[in-house]
Amino acid sequence: MPIPTVVIPAVRPMWWRVLAVGALVLAAFNARTAVTAVGAALPEIRAALGLSTTAVAILTAMPCLCIAATTLLVPPLRRRSGTQTSVVVFLGVLLAGQAVRITHGHWLLLAGTVLACCAIGGLQVLLPAVCQQIGGRRTAALTTLSASMIGVGAATATAITPWLTAFRGWRTGLGIWILPVAAALFLWIPLSLARTTRAASPPRMLRSRRSLLRSAQAWYLTLFMGLQSLQALSMLSWQPVLLRVTGVSPVGASALSAGTLVVSIAASVVITASCYRNTTRIGMWMVLTTCSGGLGLLGLLVTPATAPILWAALLGVGMAALAPALAAIPAHTTSDDETTRLSAMAQGFGYLLAAVGPALTATLRDTTGTAHWAIAALLFFCLLQLLFSILANRRSYISTAISPVHKGIPRRRGGHQHRE
């Protein structure tokens, strides 16, 4: 097993820690709102701008593709500018993108959405590294907390945007989400400029020659991240349609879909509390959330009308798999740089895989005229997710760094004990 990087934590005052946690929560809240707000106001946007079917398809497929593409830029930017400054850069891009897309015309809408989605991709990659820097022994808890806030932001935008759009128009419905981004920047700018003293300088590291692409453990985590994202995006996009095809009324389908989001947020909170007490439970939650999602899909496939509320609740717990997926990234790395690189790999390749889900679901639904084949395909992907959740649950670190041996310096890393 590789020797973990020696990390000597910075000596930081209490105000810095409180500010950092607040800034982290706000950044995570903004990591979905720009995407889900567009989906919630899409009918009004399409009617107002006269968007073609091709333009709508591009607009809805853009998030996964932009997030995947941006992940390649994050590790070098973080090494050059630092984690906090990189977060400020991506929040600034997110603010600019959301401002551009509500100005005028469908081309600016597409351009602004591209900027916003790229910024979201960068933020998501950086969040595990931020949690590792400020979390210490509570890194897993902070990571699952950030995943919970991502869900809260998505659910809030889904609930509020249609109401604002109906009341003040789609530009107000999308533009309102500039405010939480501005609030996050208000906290992150002083955080990135704050000077803190270190107890001692960390040992000098040699540049690694080994790529994460050669690590089986990294690929297990990447495939788990991609498959859980595939399930979540497919459910967010198609759950109401699939429920209606199986016999649920339109009103009931909307209510059950909203309930699924509420359950996913509640489950993420429970996972956060559990990982706060014991970080070794991350792997257990990866398996449990996957099994819950699979049982929900199986119920929809076999007996959809028997207990639709139960199936929706199980799917909600399955969508909470993002929390342990993000927490597993810093839990299996030995430095901030490796955390960022693994996060970029897991989310980059993961979102490319996730983009298949909504498209495949739509194709099977339209081709067969029934929801059964689409649900069966999602159930098959869920079985693969279960396999990789078990493989990724090995208690080992993913380390590509070559560090010299320093006598008298204890080997430790951000609160995770090294297992010999």
Side-chain angles (χ1 to χ4, degrees):
M1 183 173 294
I3 299 175
T5 306
V6 179
V7 177
I8 299 181
V11 178
R12 294 176 173 126
M14 181 59 68
W15 69 264
W16 190 96
R17 298 178 184 178
V18 174
L19 180 64
V21 173
L24 171 67
V25 167
L26 271 177
F29 180 88
N30 287 289
R32 278 290 191 279
T33 54
V35 175
T36 54
V38 171
L42 189 57
E44 290 79 6
I45 295 173
R46 186 173 187 178
L49 298 180
L51 297 179
S52 64
T53 303
T54 302
V56 172
I58 294 174
L59 191 64
T60 53
M62 208 173 288
C64 287
L65 300 178
C66 291
I67 290 172
T70 308
T71 55
L72 300 175
L73 305 176
V74 179
L77 176 64
R78 194 206 69 86
R79 285 194 295 268
R80 182 180 182 87
S81 303
T83 304
Q84 286 83 9
T85 302
S86 300
V87 172
V88 171
V89 169
F90 283 116
L91 284 173
V93 174
L94 179 59
L95 182 67
Q98 295 197 73
V100 166
R101 70 182 185 176
I102 62 173
T103 51
H104 182 72
H106 63 278
W107 288 111
L108 288 179
L109 172 66
L110 293 175
T113 303
V114 168
L115 286 175
C117 292
C118 289
I120 287 173
L123 287 176
Q124 289 188 177
V125 171
L126 289 169
L127 284 177
V130 172
C131 293
Q132 191 176 48
Q133 283 191 354
I134 68 177
R137 295 182 178 274
R138 304 306 182 189
T139 297
L142 278 183
T143 309
T144 51
L145 173 63
S146 67
S148 301
M149 291 308 301
I150 291 175
V152 170
T156 304
T158 302
I160 294 178
T161 301
W163 178 77
L164 284 175
T165 301
F167 182 64
R168 299 287 297 179
W170 68 269
R171 286 188 170 86
T172 302
L174 298 187
I176 192 67
W177 304 110
I178 294 176
L179 298 180
V181 180
L185 271 172
F186 180 77
L187 294 183
W188 273 101
I189 290 176
L191 188 67
S192 64
L193 297 177
R195 294 184 177 273
T196 56
T197 58
R198 290 188 175 273
S201 299
R204 185 177 181 180
M205 297 295 300
L206 300 178
R207 185 174 296 274
S208 171
R209 296 178 180 270
R210 183 169 176 258
S211 171
L212 283 175
L213 299 178
R214 298 173 59 185
S215 169
Q217 185 79 355
W219 277 110
Y220 297 151
L221 290 171
T222 296
L223 290 170
F224 178 81
M225 173 68 78
L227 289 168
Q228 70 83 23
S229 298
L230 183 151
Q231 299 283 349
L233 290 174
S234 298
M235 286 294 102
L236 286 172
S237 302
W238 286 98
Q239 185 180 1
V241 177
L242 296 178
L243 288 172
R244 292 177 64 178
V245 173
T246 56
V248 180
S249 67
V251 175
S254 299
L256 288 174
S257 299
T260 298
L261 287 175
V262 172
V263 171
S264 69
I265 295 172
S268 297
V269 172
V270 172
I271 295 172
T272 300
S274 176
C275 293
Y276 180 83
R277 295 179 179 275
N278 191 347
T279 58
T280 61
R281 295 173 181 170
I282 295 173
M284 176 194 72
W285 282 112
M286 292 169 68
V287 175
L288 289 179
T289 52
T290 303
C291 291
S292 177
L295 289 175
L297 290 170
L298 184 62
L300 284 181
L301 182 63
V302 178
T303 57
T306 302
I309 296 177
L310 175 60
W311 309 143
L314 289 172
L315 289 173
V317 176
M319 290 176 64
L322 177 64
L326 288 178
I329 294 174
H332 286 82
T333 52
T334 57
S335 69
D336 295 342
D337 183 65
E338 287 173 357
T339 299
T340 306
R341 291 170 58 202
L342 179 58
S343 181
M345 176 181 171
Q347 299 194 58
F349 288 104
Y351 275 97
L352 284 177
L353 176 60
V356 176
L360 180 62
T361 303
T363 302
L364 291 174
R365 159 70 179 83
D366 294 340
T367 302
T368 63
T370 178
H372 293 89
W373 285 105
I375 296 174
L378 292 177
L379 184 58
F380 170 74
F381 286 122
C382 193
L383 292 175
L384 291 180
Q385 181 182 331
L386 178 61
L387 171 63
F388 290 114
S389 69
I390 296 172
L391 292 174
N393 197 18
R394 299 187 308 172
R395 297 182 178 181
S396 60
Y397 293 123
I398 300 170
S399 179
T400 59
I402 305 171
S403 59
V405 177
H406 291 260
K407 296 181 179 180
I409 298 180
R411 293 185 293 179
R412 52 183 255 183
R413 56 181 289 277
H416 297 282
Q417 294 181 353
H418 174 54
R419 304 175 180 87
E420 296 291 350

